[in-house]
């Protein structure tokens, strides 16, 4: 279950980074905003489970959500830096 949360929120985070990067140059504030959005959505997801019979909110699921988002953002940022280096050397 934790792995599913990690992967799902990593995917969401990666898509959000891609959407923002399509229109703006990524700066630390955008990564922070995306992480905040991921954290809020994760909390919302966990709390709404309390409305469903036989479901519970698990703080560790929320932690997996945030970790997935952070890892995806780190990979995205590394990809941007790598691409930028390739462009500056004329290799791409």
């Amino acid at each position: 279950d934790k792995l599913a949360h990690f992967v799902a929120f990593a995917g969401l985070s990666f898509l959000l980074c891609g959407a923002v990067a399509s229109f703006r140059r990524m700066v630390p504030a955008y990564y922070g905003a995306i992480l905040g959005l991921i954290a809020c959505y994760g909390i919302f997801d966990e709390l709404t489970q309390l409305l469903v019979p036989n479901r519970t909110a698990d703080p560790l699921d929320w932690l997996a959500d945030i970790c997935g988002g952070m890892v995806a953002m780190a990979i995205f940022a590394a990809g941007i830096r790598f691409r930028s280096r390739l462009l500056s050397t004329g290799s791409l």
Side-chain angles (χ1 to χ4, degrees), residues 45-62:
D45 180 44
E46 290 305 312
L47 292 178
T48 55
Q49 289 183 35
L50 296 173
L51 303 172
V52 179
N54 301 322
R55 298 293 307 261
T56 59
D58 185 358
L60 293 179
D61 285 348
W62 182 61

Side-chain angles (χ1 to χ4, degrees), residues 6-29:
F6 184 93
V7 171
F9 277 76
L12 176 60
S13 180
F14 202 84
L15 289 172
L16 287 170
C17 286
V20 171
S22 296
F23 298 100
R24 305 260 189 238
R25 188 174 77 78
M26 290 299 285
V27 294

